[in-house]
Amino acid sequence: MRVSSRFIGRWIVSLLLSLPFSVGVCAPPQTVQIVFKGCVNEPSTYAVQSPVRLSAVLELAAVQDCAYWHGASWLKAGNQPEQLKLKTALLEEVNLLIEAAESETLQRHLRILHDQIEAMPVTGRTVPSDLDMFRVETRPLKNRLVVEDSVFWLPKRPTQLYFLGFEQGAMDYFSTQTVSDYWEKNALKPDYEKGWVYVVQANGKIEKHKVGYWTHEQAYVAPGGWIVAPLKESLFDATDDRISRDGFYRQLTQWLATQVIQP
């Protein structure tokens, strides 16, 4: 059937007239709630339209001089399910290590580690949490979008470091001390390997460093960070390859990175 040019013209006009009404309807902007706690003038809550950049969000807070930006935390509820799965898997592996441990001393220490992890909250912390305003504003990759409700925790600068696998669980922080210095001052527990440690910085960054008199590496850990000594490989061998040491410490350090500096 032949279609007349007049009919086609009328159809095109009708289509064009309908376009403003069909494409002009936009979804309403999403509003997210932003909460600031810690070293701000007062705990503050703001409702902002999303998406919004991190730099614009951080400008809302009346931040005090006591804020320790290196240990600041960005907490999102959306991160919690994966962190809960990480915690559950980690606790299951500690239980397997307890079963494989031959000495009562090691079993007791691993039960203490299990209880420590179990007592740590699922925070939803985004890691690494680099929230320093200068870096956020000058490095585009750090100026991320904020698209869901968030809590920003700006703690005071802590005075201690924390340890796993050592006789002392915490020590005072000194800016002149290297990771090796702390390792030499804080004795290892039995069944832990000498020569290297994991470091979890206060911003959630994870590092691995050689330690001891034989190393010339000048590595430092910031206040509020963790120094973690590794268990000897023989314990993991005793699990019949159900747990690898690298995998276990990858999960453990990732979990510690999600923790926030306490007030």
Side-chain angles (χ1 to χ4, degrees):
M1 181 178 67
R2 186 175 181 181
V3 180
S4 69
S5 59
R6 180 180 297 179
F7 176 82
I8 295 174
R10 288 176 179 176
W11 180 81
I12 292 174
V13 170
S14 298
L15 178 63
L16 292 174
L17 289 174
S18 68
L19 284 177
F21 298 96
S22 60
V23 301
V25 178
C26 299
Q30 181 184 2
T31 299
V32 295
Q33 181 172 279
I34 306 298
V35 179
F36 294 96
K37 295 181 179 180
C39 282
V40 291
N41 285 343
E42 59 183 18
S44 304
T45 302
Y46 300 88
V48 300
Q49 289 187 358
S50 177
V52 60
R53 289 287 175 183
L54 183 57
S55 59
V57 167
L58 294 178
E59 287 177 356
L60 296 174
V63 181
Q64 298 177 357
D65 292 339
C66 64
Y68 178 50
W69 285 102
H70 189 67
S73 294
W74 177 4
L75 312 177
K76 298 191 293 186
N79 292 336
Q80 292 182 0
E82 282 299 316
Q83 291 178 8
L84 179 58
K85 287 166 58 177
L86 173 63
K87 180 178 183 179
T88 301
L90 188 56
L91 290 172
E92 289 175 354
E93 293 202 348
V94 176
N95 283 331
L96 290 174
L97 292 174
I98 293 172
E99 294 176 6
E102 296 182 353
S103 71
E104 291 185 6
T105 300
L106 181 54
Q107 288 177 350
R108 183 168 58 252
H109 170 66
L110 289 169
R111 289 192 187 98
I112 292 172
L113 176 61
H114 181 282
D115 293 345
Q116 283 182 282
I117 296 170
E118 193 168 46
M120 293 177 179
V122 177
T123 65
R125 186 187 192 194
T126 302
V127 290
S129 289
D130 192 348
L131 300 180
D132 181 270
M133 274 295 292
F134 176 77
R135 284 192 286 270
V136 169
E137 291 179 339
T138 58
R139 300 181 184 180
L141 290 178
K142 294 187 180 296
N143 196 10
R144 291 172 284 182
L145 288 172
V146 181
V147 295
E148 64 176 287
D149 293 353
S150 299
V151 176
F152 291 89
W153 167 244
L154 290 91
K156 293 182 179 179
R157 183 180 180 274
T159 60
Q160 290 189 313
L161 298 175
Y162 303 98
F163 297 80
L164 287 179
F166 294 82
E167 293 294 342
Q168 298 183 62
M171 293 181 69
D172 289 339
Y173 169 79
F174 295 96
S175 61
T176 58
Q177 301 295 294
T178 66
V179 173
S180 279
D181 292 332
Y182 288 111
W183 181 84
E184 291 166 6
K185 291 180 178 180
N186 196 356
L188 285 176
K189 288 181 178 290
D191 301 296
Y192 282 82
E193 188 168 303
K194 297 180 179 179
W196 58 278
V197 294
Y198 293 97
V199 170
V200 181
Q201 297 286 0
N203 67 351
K205 184 180 178 182
I206 298 169
E207 304 166 355
K208 185 177 178 180
H209 295 292
K210 295 179 180 179
V211 288
Y213 297 108
W214 51 86
T215 181
H216 299 289
E217 183 179 355
Q218 297 293 306
Y220 292 87
V221 56
W226 291 81
I227 298 178
V228 181
L231 285 156
K232 292 180 179 178
E233 188 70 60
S234 57
L235 175 60
F236 296 88
D237 293 339
T239 67
D240 299 324
D241 296 326
R242 289 179 293 176
I243 308 173
S244 73
R245 184 168 68 174
D246 287 345
F248 175 77
Y249 280 101
R250 182 168 55 251
Q251 290 186 100
L252 178 58
T253 53
Q254 287 174 351
W255 171 249
L256 294 176
T258 69
Q259 298 304 294
V260 303
I261 293 174
Q262 299 301 314

